[in-house]
Every structure is written in C-alpha cells, then in structure tokens.
Amino acid sequence: TAGGKPLSAKMAEESHEELIYMAKLTEQAERYADMVAFMKKVATSDTELTVEERNLLSVAYKNYIGAPRASWRVVNQIEQKEEVKGNERNVRLVQSYRKKIEAELANICKDILDVLEKHLIPHSGTGESKVFYLKMKGDYHRYHAEFAGGDERKQAAELSPTHPIRLGLALNFSVFYYEVLNMLDRACQLIKQAFDDAIVELDNIGEDLVNDSTLI
C-alpha cells in the first residue's frame, strides 16, 4: 500500500505525468514490478506514447522478466544434471519448481503481449512506433518460446516467412549482430535472407497481416 491505499487505487488517482514520474522513480529503485504497473497504466490509455514512454515500458518489462528468465536457465541446468545422475526424486522436485517459474514467465509474456496487441499496436500513429511494438512483440514471443515445449514451440518455429513476428525476430537478430557483435556483413545477410524468403511467399500473406508485414 501507499499512503494507506493499495497501489492500484493510488495509481487510478494519478495523472499521466505522475505515472511517468513514478515509473522513473521505481526504475531507479529497481522495483520493476511496480514500474511495470505504472507503465501498463500509461500504455493502456490508448494514446500514442512518446519515445521516452516507449523506452520506459520496454525497460520495465525487460527487467521484470529478466530475473525469472535467469532463474529458469539455472533451474533447467540443474534438472539436466540431476537427470544425468539418475536422481529421480530430485528431478521431480526441480521439475515442479521449474513449472512454477514457467507459469510466472508465461503470465508476464501474456501481459505485455495483450497490452501490445489490444492497445499499443492499434493506436500507433507512426511507422517508427509500430515497428518498435512489433519488434517488442517478437521479443516476448521469443522469450515464451525459450521455455515452451511441444506444440507451442513447434508453432513458434513454423511461422510463415511473411509473418510479422518472424520478420520482427529476424530484424531483432540482425540488429544484435550489428550493434553488439559489430558484424555488419552477417547482419545484412540475415535480414536479406528474411526479406528474400518473405518475397517468395508474398502472394500467400493473409489480409490480416499484410500491413504489419509490409511495414517491417
């Protein structure tokens, strides 16, 4: 609670400017769950976000999901080691805890994807903002695919070359090669391959995806 009221009740009384201020405050305090709550309130106001506000939203969710993603990787490695040892009792214990973390990850991914699909993408007024949101959408589908199993992972892997999520992931990956690894040639190769693959399938693109895919 804050001032005797639940955080959600206090947020409902705050202005847009106050929500942004509180998001910046909670970022500095590394209280990312609270930062997400403040920025989600801004993001679901169905107005065009500024560049600063988009970045705050991205930082909030990226840090919020960062801890459970790291935890999942550690627990997953421990599970594999216990399987090698043949310790079935410990494997069951680790699997149970891994599933708890996966449920948390799934909820975070679903939360931001709902915000993107229902509010931000439909109300994006510029090509720049729409590409930003589509790239973000691709990021969280990728995060979900990291721990998803069976049909969910297969479905993510079988997106058509023209699907905006697949194109967004290709763009994301090429940016990583260029900005982080400083491999311009590899970055250009990746994005050119994605473009060429999409062109081949252009006639088969669904009407509901054509605008997003063409924009990317």
Side-chain angles (χ1 to χ4, degrees):
T1 62
K5 294 183 179 181
L7 180 61
S8 57
K10 184 172 177 58
M11 285 169 51
E13 300 172 0
E14 291 172 326
S15 67
H16 184 93
E17 291 75 16
E18 289 171 332
L19 289 169
I20 296 301
Y21 179 82
M22 291 302 299
K24 293 178 180 177
L25 176 64
T26 49
E27 178 187 11
Q28 291 180 60
E30 298 185 0
R31 299 272 295 176
Y32 297 112
D34 290 341
M35 187 183 182
V36 162
F38 287 117
M39 287 312 301
K40 184 178 178 181
K41 184 75 175 176
V42 173
T44 55
S45 63
D46 293 339
T47 58
E48 180 77 14
L49 302 190
T50 66
V51 173
E52 180 187 39
E53 291 164 358
R54 292 202 307 262
N55 289 335
L56 284 170
L57 179 75
S58 178
V59 166
Y61 275 96
K62 186 173 183 179
N63 282 283
Y64 187 36
I65 201 171
R69 283 181 72 208
S71 299
W72 183 87
R73 286 193 290 268
V74 170
V75 171
N76 191 50
Q77 289 175 359
I78 292 172
E79 181 183 345
Q80 292 173 6
K81 290 177 181 178
E82 293 292 355
E83 287 177 342
V84 171
K85 294 177 184 177
N87 194 329
E88 295 182 4
R89 178 177 177 275
N90 284 356
V91 168
R92 288 195 299 271
L93 290 171
V94 175
Q95 285 177 340
S96 177
Y97 192 66
R98 173 175 55 78
K99 289 176 181 177
K100 179 182 178 181
I101 298 172
E102 288 175 354
E104 182 181 344
L105 286 165
N107 286 334
I108 297 172
C109 290
K110 182 180 184 304
D111 187 45
I112 182 57
L113 288 170
D114 282 347
V115 171
L116 288 165
E117 292 169 2
K118 296 177 181 178
H119 300 279
L120 294 173
I121 294 174
H123 292 90
S124 56
T126 66
E128 179 187 358
S129 63
K130 195 160 192 176
V131 168
F132 183 94
Y133 297 139
L134 288 171
K135 178 181 177 296
M136 197 171 174
K137 184 177 177 180
D139 286 340
Y140 285 87
H141 276 287
R142 174 165 56 87
Y143 297 157
H144 191 273
E146 286 177 351
F147 64 86
D151 293 340
E152 288 182 283
R153 178 172 290 183
K154 185 178 179 182
Q155 183 180 14
E158 292 180 348
L159 292 173
S160 73
T162 56
H163 198 288
I165 293 173
R166 178 163 169 172
L167 289 171
L169 286 171
L171 176 62
N172 186 15
F173 200 29
S174 66
V175 169
F176 170 78
Y177 267 96
Y178 174 64
E179 293 186 350
V180 179
L181 300 182
N182 199 28
M183 297 172 63
L184 176 60
D185 291 343
R186 179 57 176 157
C188 292
Q189 180 184 355
L190 281 168
I191 202 64
K192 183 179 184 302
Q193 184 64 54
F195 177 80
D196 291 345
D197 290 345
I199 288 296
V200 172
E201 298 289 332
L202 197 59
D203 291 340
N204 299 323
I205 189 171
E207 293 183 5
D208 56 329
L209 301 177
V210 65
N211 290 333
D212 290 347
S213 297
T214 303
L215 183 61
I216 295 176

